[in-house]
């Protein structure tokens, strides 16, 4: 269908066409439970934390130096530090849209003013390049991240434009001037080149969608198509690192740097959808299938290599060296969400849920002031307790850190949590599809003018019951996702008898009356998951899951070196009011005991520990 | 015992004291078989190949630019490229001692003349630092490798001094001037600092042994003692990367960068032996035990991480991401050999054998003109065929490469192969200990004047019979190592009945007459090796070994994706004249077949392939 909506959708991704239309932040509200609490902490703690770090690390002051004309002297941070400021602005924009807090708007404007002052008259904007004493503009496309930074600027501007279309802070104009420069420099007649880190493509595509200006989308399509033409130098990790080894449409799976790969695949999906390129879309769906089948951790995490932050080959999923970068999981959600909108296939929502609960929710500490960058599935040695407020030089730290030398993940988590409602529900001509479950409300107007409005009440993921209460009269179809793990689910309409709801979706079409209820019951009893036998690194092991959450064994509960732990293969996990335990023996002492498991996203909250998701059964 | 020999020993490591005295290249000759062929190729092909690369990559011309005073303009190569020239000189020096080829001596002198011309008046020698437009001397101790380079210079000078004590090429004086500078700069009264890559310590220690000048040994001891004092900056990988996290004597195992760790442990052994520091020696032996038990691959390879080329934690031994750098294995041999000389414990020789056959022999191609840098135990995707002569940007390439941007391994292999006879046999007051087996001859004079002289004939490792034929009359003890894998070995003196020889050593004391024979029979039938159950990455797998050689399954023989291969756990490997096969089923098709295994060191000789050492049994 082609989306015709009266008001612009307030969401990160708004395709002009596709199977499903995303609902925006004004249409979906999350107001209690697991995600509401994380959104609250994100707004109250994480956003101020990020701004204070951007200030103290010098990444925001870099813009002041640029405006003062004193660069390169005093510039701090890596070549991509500008992008963290833009991701922060994007997060702030969504948070403003979500929370309506006027104080936030002041902060937003103050940061934008500093960015604005640094822009060159021709639209160029980067604190690292182009001045006397700096490398020339666009001279370091492999590692310079200039276009990457601009991609994040564009996403921030779109977020602002969608949440505050009449704002006069100027961010949108800054973005347009920069985007116009990109189109001049890198258009059909310009440099035949790409950026070593995909991101500008997805920014341009969304800018094109929001403005309706075809040039931006065309430029995104050009950049996507140039991947695989070897315009970037060969490097130690090979050109697959930046997906310049083969054309996007020829690839069999995501490969190379996992963040780059997902950002590019997201942009390629945008291009395929907007240009009606069905062949490219099919190729991307095939790549997603293979990547999820063979190159994705049980947590949804992606990226098996530390050295190049990259996907390994098929079946190469070492839990102890899982890189599983937080940003890669956000990229994976971006990619899956776009495929879900294009195709309506619920498996994409399954992966989004898995990734949200087990990577995105794992990264920030409960207070939102420290983060995982990498998300290992097996920690062999307890991490050294670090200064709570220190910047970690180690992306792969095994304790959450307040900030990193490469600090892409914290603002990426922040923008994702602030815009999370934009990934929860969709509509088509018939009704509304609810993909993720949280207590809150949904209200949208369907293409024929029917109002679909309802409350959702649930204790998810602790409990598996999701109760939908219709808020306004109207005939439409309610579609609920039944996760692939939820065999035995049932759905009950009002006081009718519950009926089976097989994994996939369950749809109820009714002339609903306000107060009507639909109850979905998802069995969340703990279950044992065996890996594919081709995943060498976890052969002879199983994992325990409960609902959408992956569980883990932590040394604090086992009381000894977890290398000694062997799961009794005959025992079944015990669920006592959500507290799960399993029967574990000690390899060396032979001692057997009932040991509590934790939610993986809660690991290392009790101090340095060792931990494993996959438990050997012999 | 304290070693008193009439002539200096011509070997890389000559402690002044210890349980065993190494025999030199003039005392041990290898003249046929597995290692003789590799030594021949090393001299005929590898050494000229290295020199031509040092020339074409600019690493040798850097010295000419230094002499001309035109640096830094035109300097090529990484910060440690000088060291490759020194390692080449060391290899050449040993090769001259081994082969007595006068043409080699010309080449040696020509290179030394170019190095000599680059030395500063005060003894400083490095093409990367200290000139206008370069960083200051010693200002980049973390990554600058200045002292590291000099350590290799010292080892080269010692090799030259031992093989050609009267040579007038000047290398020895160059080394002494540089060593004196190091002692002035970094002595008790100088900079309290260390180099980010251990190596100068082992060079200084051997220089002290060779010259008898205690200052060099004292300086080595100072550098060893300063490790763990945090004089180097914390970095992404942590200070353990360069063993500056804790003092050497407090460590429990080798850790951090595997080459650095082994070089430092070797130097610490030298210091412990020469200073009579029994506590330090015990600490090093404990570290070796734990490292070999828990952090060493079945091939002898060390280093489980690509990102930091480092040891992982205990039991962290992923075969597919094994870094197992060739240089780390050479460092491991250096460390083990020093502990063997100090203690006489034959387990050190076991590891040396395992490492020689399965890492050192794996790196160079049969023609000696391409090399592995990393030595994975499991290749999942076939490597791209590369230009045979190209420099690889990828240390972790899965095909042998002619040269690398970081090309430490080829000259390291070359110096090891050229001096290999120096690691084969030792003497004590009673007789001779033969640690490694190859066809050749041994002749030495024991401390009481007794001549111990014999021929060794063997088809090792293809065959397990080693025949020793005494060459001169004399009463002494012949000690033969019985490898730990050789259960069921027997030894037979002359025509006597064979007797059992348990793993460890077997000793025969006789008033030998020329022509007397001793025959050791080592059973080399293929055997199945199960891993320690705590090694997660190979749970549910076994490896097949035969004698000292590890075997592997290669896709060329399996004929399908090796991810599909499952070893029939009930079948036993068949050995048809040294050609081994096993019963393998295909996971997807269910098809069973008898599939040939290869020697691991022979993998990828038939073109790009996939390969695995550890075979799943389910």
């Amino acid at each position: 269908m082609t989306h015709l909506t009266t008001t612009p959708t307030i969401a990160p991704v708004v395709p002009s066409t596709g199977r499903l239309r995303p609902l925006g932040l004004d249409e979906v509200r999350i107001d209690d439970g697991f995600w509401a609490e994380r959104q609250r902490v994100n707004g109250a703690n994480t956003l101020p934390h990020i701004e204070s770090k951007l200030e103290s690390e010098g990444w925001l002051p870099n813009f002041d130096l640029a405006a003062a004309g004193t660069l390169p002297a005093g510039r701090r941070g890596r070549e991509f530090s500008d992008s963290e400021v833009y991701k922060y602005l994007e997060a702030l924009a969504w948070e403003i849209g979500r929370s309506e807090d006027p104080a936030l708007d002041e902060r937003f404007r103050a940061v934008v003013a500093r960015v604005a002052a640094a822009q060159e008259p021709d639209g160029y904007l980067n604190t690292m390049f182009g001045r006397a004493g700096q490398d020339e503009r666009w001279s370091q496309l492999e590692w310079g991240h200039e276009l990457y930074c601009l991609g994040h600027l564009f996403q921030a501007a779109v977020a602002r434009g969608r949440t505050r279309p009449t704002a006069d802070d100027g961010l949108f104009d800054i973005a347009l001037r920069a985007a116009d420069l990109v189109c001049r420099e890198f258009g059909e007649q310009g440099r035949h080149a790409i950026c070593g880190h995909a991101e500008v493509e997805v920014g341009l595509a969304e800018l094109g969608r929001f403005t309706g200006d075809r040039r931006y989308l065309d430029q995104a399509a050009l950049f996507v198509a140039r991947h695989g033409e070897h315009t970037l130098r060969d490097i130690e990790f090979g050109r697959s690192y930046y997906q310049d080894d083969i054309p996007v449409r020829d690839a069999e799976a995501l490969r190379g740097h996992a963040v780059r790969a997902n950002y590019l695949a997201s942009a390629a999906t945008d291009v395929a959808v907007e240009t009606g390129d069905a062949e490219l879309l099919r190729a991307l769906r095939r790549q997603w299938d293979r990547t999820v089948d063979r190159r994705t951790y049980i947590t949804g995490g992606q990226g098996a290599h530390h050295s190049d932050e990259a996907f390994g080959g098929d079946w190469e999923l070492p839990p102890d060296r899982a890189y599983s970068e937080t940003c890669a999981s956000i990229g994976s959600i971006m990619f899956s969400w776009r495929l879900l909108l294009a195709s309506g296939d619920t498996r994409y929502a399954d992966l989004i849920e898995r990734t949200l609960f087990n990577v995105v929710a794992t990264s920030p500490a409960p207070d939102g002031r420290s983060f995982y960058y990498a998300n290992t599935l097996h920690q062999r040695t307890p991490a050294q307790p670090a200064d709570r407020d220190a910047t970690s030089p180690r992306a792969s730290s095994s304790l959450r850190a307040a900030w990193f030398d490469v600090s892409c993940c914290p603002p990426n988590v922040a923008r994702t949590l602030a815009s999370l409602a934009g990934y929860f529900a969709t509509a088509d001509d018939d009704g509304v599809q609810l993909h993720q479950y949280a207590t809150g409300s949904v209200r949208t107007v369907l293409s024929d003018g029917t109002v679909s409005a309802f409350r959702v009440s649930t204790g998810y993921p602790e409990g598996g019951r999701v109760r939908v209460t219709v808020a306004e009269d109207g005939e439409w179809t309610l579609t609920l996702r039944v996760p692939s793990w939820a065999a035995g689910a049932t759905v009950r309409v009002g006081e009718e008898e519950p009926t089976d709801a097989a994994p996939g979706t369950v749809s109820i079409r009714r002339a609903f009356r306000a107060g009507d209820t639909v109850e979905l019951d998802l069995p969340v009893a703990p279950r044992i998951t065996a890996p594919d036998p081709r995943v060498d690194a976890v052969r002879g092991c199983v994992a325990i899951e409960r609902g959408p959450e992956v569980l883990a064994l932590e040394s604090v509960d086992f009381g000894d070196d977890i290398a000694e732990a062997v799961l009794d293969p005959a025992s079944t996990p015990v669920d006592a009011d959500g507290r799960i335990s399993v029967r574990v023996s000690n390899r060396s002492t032979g001692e057997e005991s009932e040991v509590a498991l934790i939610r993986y996203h809660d690991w290392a909250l009790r101090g340095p520990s060792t931990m494993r998701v996959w438990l050997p059964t012999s």
Side-chain angles (χ1 to χ4, degrees), chain A residues 373-507:
Chain A
Y373 186 115
N375 294 278
T376 187
L377 280 75
H378 182 177
Q379 180 70 28
R380 294 175 176 281
T381 47
Q384 296 299 315
D387 176 0
R388 189 73 178 72
D389 199 48
T391 294
S392 172
R394 280 173 281 286
S396 51
S397 70
S398 51
L399 270 188
R400 293 171 181 88
W403 201 246
F404 305 92
D405 286 341
V406 175
S407 216
C408 42
C409 297
N412 225 349
V413 169
R415 68 174 181 149
T416 305
L417 289 176
S419 61
L420 194 65
Y423 296 97
F424 267 43
T426 56
D428 62 10
D429 290 343
D430 294 329
V432 167
Q433 302 78 37
L434 195 55
H435 302 288
Q436 307 298 338
Y437 298 120
T439 292
S441 55
V442 175
R443 185 182 193 282
T444 191
V445 181
L446 303 179
S447 53
D448 64 359
T450 306
V451 172
S452 161
F454 54 90
R455 280 287 302 166
V456 182
S457 306
T458 180
Y460 204 74
E462 201 62 24
R465 179 162 301 175
V466 179
R467 186 185 177 90
V468 170
T469 308
V470 174
E472 299 181 32
D473 296 358
E475 182 175 350
W476 51 280
T477 304
L478 172 67
T479 299
L480 301 170
R481 181 176 63 95
V482 182
S484 58
W485 51 260
T490 58
V491 68
R492 184 182 193 196
V493 181
E495 298 303 307
E496 295 173 14
E497 276 303 293
T499 55
D500 290 348
T505 56
V506 58
S507 292

Side-chain angles (χ1 to χ4, degrees), chain A residues 463-605:
Chain A
R465 179 162 301 175
V466 179
R467 186 185 177 90
V468 170
T469 308
V470 174
E472 299 181 32
D473 296 358
E475 182 175 350
W476 51 280
T477 304
L478 172 67
T479 299
L480 301 170
R481 181 176 63 95
V482 182
S484 58
W485 51 260
T490 58
V491 68
R492 184 182 193 196
V493 181
E495 298 303 307
E496 295 173 14
E497 276 303 293
T499 55
D500 290 348
T505 56
V506 58
S507 292
I508 293 115
R509 187 167 186 88
R510 282 283 195 291
F512 285 113
R513 304 295 299 270
D516 281 357
T517 61
V518 177
E519 235 173 53
L520 179 67
D521 245 313
L522 303 171
V524 292
R527 60 192 190 276
I528 295 176
T529 305
D532 188 293
R534 288 165 293 193
V535 180
D536 291 292
V538 295
R539 183 171 286 113
C541 295
V542 297
I544 319 285
E545 299 181 274
R546 181 181 186 279
E549 296 173 308
V550 173
L551 307 184
L553 176 65
E554 202 172 15
S555 54
V556 191
D557 299 303
F558 181 57
D560 196 356
D561 182 353
I562 56 161
E564 304 294 343
V566 181
L567 183 74
D568 176 352
S571 84
T572 47
V574 176
D575 189 339
D577 291 329
R579 186 182 172 281
I580 316 303
S581 59
V582 289
R583 193 126 198 101
V584 174
S585 69
N586 187 303
R587 202 183 285 287
S588 294
T589 65
E591 216 172 291
E592 274 216 17
S593 55
E594 198 75 16
V595 181
L597 300 179
I598 53 160
R599 270 61 173 173
Y600 170 70
H601 56 69
D602 287 340
W603 89 273
L605 294 185

